[in-house]
Amino acid sequence: MGLTAGIVGLPNVGKSTLFNAITKKNILAANYPFATIDPNVGVVIVPDERLVRLEEMYIPEKTIPTSIEFTDIAGLVKGASSGEGLGNQFLSHIRETDAIIEVVRCFKDNNIIHVEGEIDPIRDIEIINLELTIADLEIVGNRIEKMRKKAESNKDKEALKEMEALSKAKEALLNNIPLRLVDFTKEEQKILKSYSFLTIKPMIYLANISEEEVALEDNEFVKMVRDYATKEHAKCVRICAKVESELSELNIEDKEDMLNMLGLEESGLNKLIKETYDLLGLATYFTVGPDECRAWTFKKGMNAKECAGIIHTDFERGFIRAEVISYQDLIDCGSELKVKEAGRTRLEGKEYIMQDGDICHFRFNV
């Protein structure tokens, strides 16, 4: 299953520098607004030590990790929802993503101008979030009118349900409450899903700090962002986009040396990817063999039959059973044969709920 995340924020907060680090693409990262003119899309591999161990064990012809697609969107400004700056054309790109990563400037640098004149992370967050809210309100307002006419003229029950869900969304938005914080019923969630509302998407606030503060405790700006994220039940990740950009240019050994020198256990990008997975409720299962070792992303709570369908629809349609071993059992025992000898290989039916780290071989017939 594909996973996409949109990177948004005001101009000059570090979005393009971060995107360079994520994808190692040399897009323009200039010190002026709208340096990123078109949406930039890049794919980044999800780091997973388990896949590395499986590759060492099976020595396959190819190894395929799972990945996340990141879209870097031009800096939004106050009034973007009504066309200011580069406006609505970029808000439409955010609608196509699964989650939003909002980069917030949490560093001082007189050489890098701030579009609002001074550093204030909460003001910056509220500018972006207000534009997302206004954009959603416009869609809600237009749709409610259409559904009202349909419900009144045809006594359409489905139209009435949709209008009620949209009215509930409108009330929240008018009170500046993002839709992700509204307690919609499952039926309402299903109705609203097709609209791809911006404020209903999971949010990660990315606090971008300076190089000098990487090994230090959170500065006052980062603390403000963390507090704001906590109140929203959102996530906050601290990162230095500039350091991440430098790390992306190094080989594995040099990267480890630099991380050690900075006093970091892992890169900020790895933390971001893990937090994105956690935010979206995602996990990983594996398929292994001499031909290929591969990681597959699935939504927590999916059953074996649904997970088989991630590989191919025929696997789901003709599902018979899944032969499953846990990653840890494989590592502890040393081989699939020894796992079987230990009686830890399992045959699971279609209702089995897949677990993170499961190693599967699907049996099917079509």
Side-chain angles (χ1 to χ4, degrees), residues 136-137 139-148 159-173 179 184 188 191-192 194-195 197:
D136 280 355
L137 264 173
I139 290 177
V140 169
N142 292 337
R143 187 62 180 172
I144 282 178
E145 287 306 311
K146 291 180 181 178
M147 298 314 297
R148 179 178 286 113
L160 185 60
K161 288 180 182 178
E162 186 169 350
M163 192 178 74
E164 289 173 350
L166 289 168
S167 296
K168 186 174 179 179
K170 183 178 180 179
E171 183 181 359
L173 293 168
L179 298 183
F184 291 112
E188 289 170 336
I191 290 170
L192 298 176
S194 62
Y195 290 101
F197 288 123

Side-chain angles (χ1 to χ4, degrees), residues 45-331:
I45 290 171
V46 176
D48 196 322
E49 280 297 319
R50 296 173 298 181
L51 187 61
V52 175
R53 292 287 301 274
L54 292 173
E55 183 179 24
E56 293 171 350
M57 183 177 292
Y58 287 89
I59 315 176
E61 292 183 12
K62 58 182 177 179
T63 300
I64 304 175
T66 189
S67 62
I68 297 180
E69 183 179 281
F70 285 93
T71 301
D72 178 41
I73 298 161
L76 296 170
V77 294
K78 194 180 296 183
S81 57
S82 57
E84 289 296 321
L86 294 177
N88 280 322
Q89 59 178 307
F90 291 99
L91 291 177
S92 66
H93 296 303
I94 309 172
R95 294 195 187 283
E96 299 166 5
T97 62
D98 299 305
I100 295 177
I101 297 168
E102 187 170 325
V103 183
V104 186
R105 181 168 168 176
C106 292
F107 65 90
K108 293 180 179 179
D109 189 333
N110 294 330
N111 296 316
I112 302 177
I113 61 173
H114 192 292
V115 71
E116 292 293 324
E118 60 183 0
I119 309 302
D120 184 342
I122 302 306
R123 176 208 57 211
D124 294 354
I125 287 172
E126 290 180 344
I127 287 174
I128 297 296
N129 289 358
L130 179 59
E131 296 307 321
L132 304 184
T133 297
I134 293 171
D136 280 355
L137 264 173
E138 183 179 358
I139 290 177
V140 169
N142 292 337
R143 187 62 180 172
I144 282 178
E145 287 306 311
K146 291 180 181 178
M147 298 314 297
R148 179 178 286 113
K149 292 176 182 177
K150 187 176 180 180
E152 290 175 352
S153 61
N154 302 329
K155 304 299 181 183
D156 190 318
K157 291 184 179 179
E158 294 303 314
L160 185 60
K161 288 180 182 178
E162 186 169 350
M163 192 178 74
E164 289 173 350
L166 289 168
S167 296
K168 186 174 179 179
K170 183 178 180 179
E171 183 181 359
L173 293 168
L174 287 172
N175 286 289
N176 205 27
I177 299 172
L179 298 183
R180 60 182 170 274
L181 298 183
V182 180
D183 187 23
F184 291 112
T185 65
K186 288 186 178 181
E187 185 176 16
E188 289 170 336
Q189 290 173 11
K190 188 176 180 180
I191 290 170
L192 298 176
K193 186 176 181 181
S194 62
Y195 290 101
S196 298
F197 288 123
L198 299 172
T199 64
I200 210 167
K201 297 181 185 299
M203 176 79 78
I204 293 179
Y205 293 106
L206 202 62
N208 188 17
I209 61 173
S210 67
E211 290 178 277
E212 294 75 23
E213 296 178 302
V214 169
L216 303 178
E217 294 183 358
D218 290 348
N219 64 32
E220 58 176 319
F221 298 135
V222 176
K223 290 177 182 177
M224 292 165 68
V225 176
R226 286 198 190 281
D227 288 344
Y228 189 96
T230 299
K231 291 174 184 176
E232 266 204 359
H233 305 294
K235 288 183 175 291
C236 175
V237 177
R238 192 180 81 157
I239 199 170
C240 176
K242 193 172 182 182
V243 166
E244 298 302 322
S245 184
E246 293 171 4
L247 285 169
S248 70
E249 301 297 325
L250 303 177
N251 60 37
I252 294 176
E253 290 183 359
D254 290 341
K255 186 180 292 184
E256 289 179 355
D257 289 341
M258 184 173 175
L259 287 172
N260 289 332
M261 183 181 70
L262 293 170
L264 301 175
E265 293 184 4
E266 63 177 341
S267 73
L269 289 180
N270 283 7
K271 289 181 181 178
L272 173 60
I273 292 169
K274 289 176 182 177
E275 290 291 6
T276 304
Y277 254 58
D278 184 61
L279 181 70
L280 295 173
L282 301 176
T284 304
Y285 75 84
F286 304 95
T287 52
V288 297
D291 295 330
E292 176 185 284
C293 283
R294 183 163 182 168
W296 302 87
T297 301
F298 69 98
K299 192 90 171 175
K300 291 177 182 176
M302 290 179 69
N303 61 39
K305 184 178 179 181
E306 292 169 328
C307 285
I310 294 172
I311 298 177
H312 197 285
T313 53
D314 283 351
F315 281 34
E316 182 172 8
R317 186 160 55 91
F319 182 90
I320 299 174
R321 66 178 182 273
E323 296 177 9
V324 182
I325 60 176
S326 76
Y327 169 80
Q328 196 56 53
D329 282 345
L330 180 62
I331 296 302

